[in-house]
Amino acid sequence: ISDRHTIENKEFQHILQKCLQKLPPLWHAIFTMKFMDDQEAVKICSELKVSSSNYWVIIHRTKVNLRDCLQKNWR
């Protein structure tokens, strides 16, 4: 990876973290557990006491929210 890619990746990570911080705490927790900690949906639902249907709604809304935030803030 070139220095340019490394710098761009660091910038992207910084913007992603800022976007994640804007999420409601439950959304942030679910997103982090699923996509960063690679935990199973059943375990996440159990630990955070959310229903399966609510979990999938939150995942969808979080993705949409993050996409919008990244589009506005990443180039």
Side-chain angles (χ1 to χ4, degrees):
I1 299 178
S2 70
D3 288 339
R4 181 171 170 255
H5 289 340
T6 301
I7 290 168
E8 287 178 355
N9 190 43
K10 286 180 183 178
E11 290 173 3
F12 175 79
Q13 290 298 321
H14 177 74
I15 292 168
L16 177 61
Q17 288 304 316
K18 286 187 148 233
C19 290
L20 285 169
Q21 290 171 2
K22 294 178 184 180
L23 294 173
L26 180 62
W27 293 20
H28 184 270
I30 288 174
F31 182 85
T32 301
M33 292 171 81
K34 176 165 178 54
F35 295 105
M36 296 181 180
D37 300 337
D38 202 28
Q39 293 187 21
E40 296 292 326
V42 174
K43 182 177 180 185
I44 296 169
C45 290
S46 176
E47 283 188 29
L48 299 179
K49 297 180 178 24
V50 296
S51 68
S52 177
S53 58
N54 193 24
Y55 166 84
W56 290 110
V57 168
I58 290 170
I59 288 292
H60 172 72
R61 289 180 180 168
T62 301
K63 287 179 179 180
V64 169
N65 189 290
L66 286 176
R67 183 188 65 220
D68 291 345
C69 183
L70 289 169
Q71 286 176 336
K72 289 177 188 169
N73 296 289
W74 178 244
R75 304 194 192 215

